[in-house]
Coordinates of all heavy atoms in Angstrom, one line a residue:
R34 N 5.9 37.5 -30.3 CA 6.2 39.0 -30.2 C 7.3 39.4 -31.1 O 7.2 40.5 -31.8 CB 6.4 39.3 -28.7 CG 6.6 40.8 -28.4 CD 7.0 41.0 -27.0 NE 6.0 40.4 -26.1 CZ 6.2 40.3 -24.8 NH1 7.3 40.8 -24.2 NH2 5.3 39.7 -24.0
V40 N 12.8 41.4 -35.8 CA 14.1 41.6 -35.1 C 15.0 42.4 -36.0 O 15.8 43.2 -35.6 CB 14.7 40.3 -34.7 CG1 16.0 40.5 -34.1 CG2 13.8 39.5 -33.8
V105 N 15.8 23.3 -12.1 CA 15.4 21.9 -12.0 C 16.5 21.2 -11.1 O 16.1 20.4 -10.2 CB 15.3 21.3 -13.4 CG1 15.1 19.8 -13.3 CG2 14.2 21.9 -14.2
I113 N 13.1 16.6 -3.9 CA 12.9 15.1 -4.2 C 13.8 14.3 -3.3 O 13.5 13.3 -2.7 CB 13.0 14.8 -5.7 CG1 12.0 15.5 -6.5 CG2 13.0 13.3 -5.9 CD1 12.1 15.4 -8.0
G114 N 15.1 14.8 -3.3 CA 16.1 14.0 -2.5 C 15.7 14.0 -1.0 O 15.8 13.0 -0.3
T237 N 3.2 4.2 8.0 CA 3.2 3.5 9.4 C 1.9 2.8 9.5 O 0.9 3.1 8.9 CB 3.4 4.6 10.5 OG1 2.3 5.5 10.3 CG2 4.7 5.3 10.3
V371 N -24.7 29.4 9.3 CA -25.0 30.5 10.2 C -23.7 31.4 10.4 O -23.7 32.6 10.4 CB -25.5 29.9 11.5 CG1 -25.6 31.0 12.6 CG2 -26.8 29.3 11.3
I388 N -26.4 35.8 -6.8 CA -26.4 34.7 -5.9 C -25.2 33.8 -6.2 O -24.4 33.3 -5.3 CB -27.7 33.9 -6.0 CG1 -28.8 34.7 -5.4 CG2 -27.6 32.5 -5.2 CD1 -30.2 34.0 -5.5
F413 N -35.8 10.7 4.0 CA -36.1 9.4 3.3 C -35.7 8.2 4.1 O -36.4 7.2 4.0 CB -35.5 9.4 1.9 CG -36.3 10.1 0.9 CD1 -35.9 11.5 0.6 CD2 -37.3 9.6 0.2 CE1 -36.6 12.2 -0.4 CE2 -38.0 10.2 -0.7 CZ -37.7 11.6 -1.0
N420 N -45.5 10.1 5.5 CA -44.7 10.9 6.4 C -43.5 11.5 5.8 O -43.1 12.6 6.2 CB -44.3 10.0 7.6 CG -45.5 9.5 8.4 OD1 -46.5 10.2 8.5 ND2 -45.4 8.3 9.0
T442 N -33.3 35.6 -1.5 CA -33.9 34.9 -2.7 C -33.4 33.5 -2.8 O -34.1 32.6 -3.2 CB -33.5 35.7 -3.9 OG1 -33.9 37.1 -3.8 CG2 -34.1 35.1 -5.2
L444 N -32.7 31.3 -0.4 CA -33.5 30.4 0.5 C -34.9 30.2 -0.1 O -35.4 29.0 0.0 CB -33.6 31.0 1.9 CG -32.3 31.0 2.7 CD1 -32.5 31.7 4.1 CD2 -31.7 29.6 2.8
L486 N -53.0 19.6 2.2 CA -52.1 20.3 3.1 C -51.0 21.0 2.3 O -50.7 22.2 2.5 CB -51.5 19.4 4.1 CG -50.4 19.9 5.0 CD1 -50.9 21.0 5.9 CD2 -49.7 18.8 5.8
G549 N -58.3 35.8 -8.8 CA -57.2 36.5 -9.6 C -57.6 37.9 -10.0 O -56.8 38.8 -9.9
T564 N -57.1 25.4 -16.0 CA -58.1 24.5 -15.4 C -59.4 24.4 -16.2 O -60.0 23.4 -16.3 CB -58.4 25.0 -14.0 OG1 -57.2 25.2 -13.3 CG2 -59.3 24.0 -13.2
D584 N -76.8 11.5 -19.0 CA -77.2 11.4 -17.6 C -77.3 12.8 -17.0 O -77.0 13.8 -17.6 CB -76.1 10.6 -16.9 CG -74.7 11.2 -16.9 OD1 -74.4 11.7 -18.1 OD2 -74.1 11.3 -15.9
G691 N -85.6 11.8 -41.9 CA -86.2 11.1 -40.8 C -87.7 10.9 -41.0 O -88.4 11.6 -41.7
S716 N -82.9 37.3 -42.4 CA -82.4 38.0 -43.6 C -82.9 39.5 -43.5 O -82.1 40.4 -43.7 CB -82.9 37.3 -44.8 OG -82.5 38.1 -46.0
R852 N -83.3 39.7 -68.0 CA -83.7 40.5 -69.2 C -84.5 39.6 -70.2 O -85.5 40.1 -70.8 CB -82.5 41.0 -69.8 CG -82.7 41.8 -71.1 CD -81.5 42.3 -71.8 NE -80.8 43.3 -71.0 CZ -79.7 44.0 -71.4 NH1 -79.2 43.7 -72.6 NH2 -79.2 44.9 -70.7
S863 N -93.1 25.7 -74.1 CA -93.4 25.2 -75.4 C -92.7 23.9 -75.7 O -93.2 23.0 -76.3 CB -93.0 26.3 -76.4 OG -93.7 27.5 -76.2

Side-chain angles (χ1 to χ4, degrees):
R34 186 185 305 173
V40 179
V105 174
I113 296 173
T237 60
V371 173
I388 291 174
F413 276 95
N420 294 329
T442 306
L444 290 179
L486 174 63
T564 308
D584 60 315
S716 177
R852 175 182 292 184
S863 301

